[in-house]
Amino acid sequence: MAEIHEIDFYKGALWAADILVSTSHCVGANDEVRDILEHIPNLYSIVMQTPETEVHDLRLYADKEFPLGMNADYSSISIAPLKDFFEIFPMLDQSIDSIAAEVDSWGVIAKTSAGKSDLLIAGLLTEESAQVYAQSLSKQLELQRKK
């Protein structure tokens, strides 16, 4: 019989929370996911030991404070204006002043190694708060690359 360590149990709980949030279409699922996350000791440490693919949706929908998970396939992290909460506003060489009335919120995006923009955090009220999160995640990404 395989030996299960405590950290593996908590990684499994994160995986289950991710499945719940990414497959559920009801708002109540976020409350259930938060209940699961509340019971994981050293949550952010466990998140950093879990693949990014299993924590991405949790960061986006349940806890914007989540650090990057392991093996994040990102080349860079930056901020972007959002419309309709989750849609990255296409800048197309426009200044932010020219589109300010259409911007609903700010987000943190990552450029994947394939060149695609991936939304990591949504719903931030100011450009400055988005920048704080982007800088923190950029530092984590840099540390991952050094390993």
Side-chain angles (χ1 to χ4, degrees), residues 68-121:
L68 292 175
M70 292 182 347
N71 306 319
D73 184 30
Y74 307 133
S75 59
S76 64
I77 295 175
S78 60
I79 66 171
L82 304 176
K83 60 181 181 176
D84 299 328
F85 201 79
F86 290 109
E87 188 179 340
I88 300 169
F89 200 96
M91 291 297 289
L92 305 173
D93 297 325
Q94 301 175 53
S95 73
I96 191 64
D97 293 333
S98 67
I99 60 165
E102 299 175 60
V103 174
D104 294 326
S105 62
W106 287 86
V108 176
I109 61 171
K111 191 68 75 177
T112 66
S113 60
K116 178 183 161 201
S117 292
D118 190 12
L119 186 61
L120 300 180
I121 299 173

